[in-house]
Amino acid sequence: MSSIINIKSKKKLSKLLFISYPNEFKYLEELYKNRPEECFISFFQDDRELFKLKPNTKKIHKRLYKLMLKETLPSYIKSGRKKHSYLTNAFEHKEANNFFFVDIKSFYPSITFEKIKRNLIINYNQSSAVATFISNLLTVKQHKSNGQRALVTGSPLSQSFSFLINKPMFDKLNNLANENKIKMSVYVDDISFSTKATIPFEFIRNVHAILKSYDYDLSKGKGKYYRGSEGKSAEVTGVKITKYGLFITDKRKRKIKKKIKLLKSQTGDSNLFNSLLSSVLQAKLVNIKYGKYERLLQKYINPSRQI
């Protein structure tokens, strides 16, 4: 059993990633360092810069992801792991009525090459050469990072890796929450705190200070605090928490309708279909009425099926 911890030699890393050594490894080392644009296709969606990985690069990312899965993740992390989603994140807070929500500004573009390399060496005990290879493998120049290399989106390991690189910060926030008897959960760059008691202003100030100490800022208009009865209409990662139970937000409803409309014009797009089906199945866990969309999608797969 191995993981991303204590990898000291490039030869060992190449073996773990199923890359032949030294020729293929040296070729990839030069490619990811000097020509990363050949490995990632960038595109924009809703003003966000996203990346599609070339097949061989995606294959290596998946292998690295399997190594990362061998790391024990704390219970507060709800993204980038099996059997967890934005719903399991929201369920963590359904009994509370006082909330504090934090959304980190430009999270992925802020996870730069230098930050990744430094954390791999200090927190995961890797050699500089190994940390450099992995940092180059996972980063590319981005608009929001002012042309600096930063963690790509669209990779199988983006969510998990963004947490592992920032684990010391999230652990510090969780320790602060525990000291104040406040529950914390993390879903990518959304950090949710909740309690039945009042959340002290000093706690909120300390959360801001910790984020600042790791060179992160809050997204504009984020850092929301809900209190008492107001908290019973709070939104946690796309789910409304109300005194009547949990509900899908209007924004998430619109996303599902948009995917349905797109699927009608892009018949046969398996990625879009799978994305829509996943969204519908998760929405159904909150609202059983979404079962009608699931039945329609099943008919889409098998037109002869009776509904």
Side-chain angles (χ1 to χ4, degrees):
M1 296 287 284
S2 187
S3 70
I4 65 168
I5 297 176
N6 297 325
I7 305 175
K8 297 293 188 182
S9 72
K10 293 190 285 188
K11 187 173 183 179
K12 181 179 179 181
L13 178 64
S14 65
K15 183 178 180 180
L16 292 171
L17 296 179
F18 306 127
I19 299 170
S20 62
Y21 190 85
N23 293 340
E24 184 185 9
F25 187 90
K26 287 183 177 179
Y27 165 76
L28 291 173
E29 188 174 31
E30 190 276 332
L31 175 67
Y32 293 131
K33 178 182 178 181
N34 299 317
R35 295 175 284 132
E37 65 280 355
E38 294 182 21
C39 311
F40 308 105
I41 302 170
S42 67
F43 62 97
F44 286 86
Q45 188 177 83
D46 300 327
D47 295 323
R48 289 195 308 150
E49 187 177 16
L50 304 174
F51 295 88
K52 183 177 180 180
L53 278 64
K54 295 288 184 68
N56 191 50
T57 299
K58 188 172 185 178
K59 196 182 299 180
I60 298 172
H61 278 221
K62 284 182 175 179
R63 291 168 185 162
L64 183 59
Y65 177 60
K66 287 183 178 179
L67 291 178
M68 288 164 43
L69 285 178
K70 293 169 183 175
E71 300 302 317
T72 302
L73 297 176
S75 60
Y76 66 76
I77 181 69
K78 305 299 178 185
S79 54
R81 61 193 304 184
K82 292 181 179 179
K83 298 182 180 180
H84 288 75
S85 69
Y86 73 91
L87 280 178
T88 54
N89 183 62
F91 287 162
E92 285 289 301
H93 305 277
K94 65 180 181 178
E95 301 299 330
N97 57 9
N98 286 274
F99 305 86
F100 177 50
F101 302 128
V102 172
D103 184 356
I104 299 175
K105 181 181 179 182
S106 301
F107 186 47
Y108 282 9
S110 297
I111 304 175
T112 60
F113 172 92
E114 289 75 15
K115 185 174 286 188
I116 292 172
K117 181 178 176 181
R118 183 173 64 250
N119 276 273
L120 289 175
I121 293 171
I122 295 173
N123 297 314
Y124 294 95
N125 200 29
Q126 293 183 359
S127 68
S128 177
V130 168
T132 298
F133 181 89
I134 293 176
S135 300
N136 280 322
L137 170 66
L138 303 182
T139 61
V140 66
K141 290 180 180 179
Q142 299 181 33
H143 289 276
K144 279 195 174 180
S145 57
N146 297 319
Q148 290 188 77
R149 295 186 66 139
L151 181 64
V152 297
T153 56
S155 166
L157 54 67
S158 295
Q159 289 189 356
S160 299
F161 197 81
S162 68
F163 168 72
L164 288 177
I165 285 301
N166 291 286
K167 187 176 183 296
M169 177 185 75
F170 288 124
D171 281 346
K172 193 172 288 188
L173 289 169
N174 191 53
N175 290 336
L176 176 67
N178 289 335
E179 289 169 6
N180 287 269
K181 295 181 170 55
I182 294 172
K183 181 174 285 187
M184 183 188 95
S185 70
V186 175
Y187 191 81
V188 193
D189 57 348
D190 289 320
I191 312 170
S192 303
F193 300 97
S194 71
T195 177
K196 288 186 176 181
T198 301
I199 297 178
F201 175 75
E202 184 69 16
F203 172 82
I204 294 174
R205 191 169 67 177
N206 286 333
V207 167
H208 282 257
I210 290 172
L211 291 171
K212 197 73 177 174
S213 71
Y214 284 88
D215 299 321
Y216 288 114
D217 293 313
L218 299 186
S219 294
K220 189 175 181 181
K222 303 294 182 176
K224 297 178 181 176
Y225 174 53
Y226 296 86
R227 177 173 163 182
S229 59
E230 180 190 8
K232 280 301 181 181
S233 61
E235 294 182 5
V236 183
T237 52
V239 179
K240 283 184 184 177
I241 297 180
T242 76
K243 60 183 178 182
Y244 304 107
L246 302 182
F247 296 89
I248 297 296
T249 60
D250 292 338
K251 183 178 179 180
R252 199 165 287 278
K253 288 178 186 176
R254 288 194 296 271
K255 283 186 176 180
I256 289 175
K257 288 179 179 178
K258 183 179 179 181
K259 287 179 183 179
I260 291 172
K261 188 176 180 180
L262 280 172
L263 190 62
K264 287 178 180 178
S265 63
Q266 300 177 27
T267 305
D269 188 331
S270 59
N271 289 332
L272 179 58
F273 175 84
N274 290 332
S275 175
L276 174 57
L277 181 59
S278 175
S279 296
V280 166
L281 290 174
Q282 291 185 22
K284 183 184 169 187
L285 293 175
V286 177
N287 187 339
I288 195 66
K289 290 182 179 179
Y290 278 85
K292 68 178 181 181
Y293 291 116
E294 180 191 3
R295 292 191 294 274
L296 287 171
L297 289 169
Q298 294 298 345
K299 188 176 181 181
Y300 178 90
I301 298 173
N302 183 7
S304 64
R305 182 179 173 184
Q306 296 297 312
I307 297 180

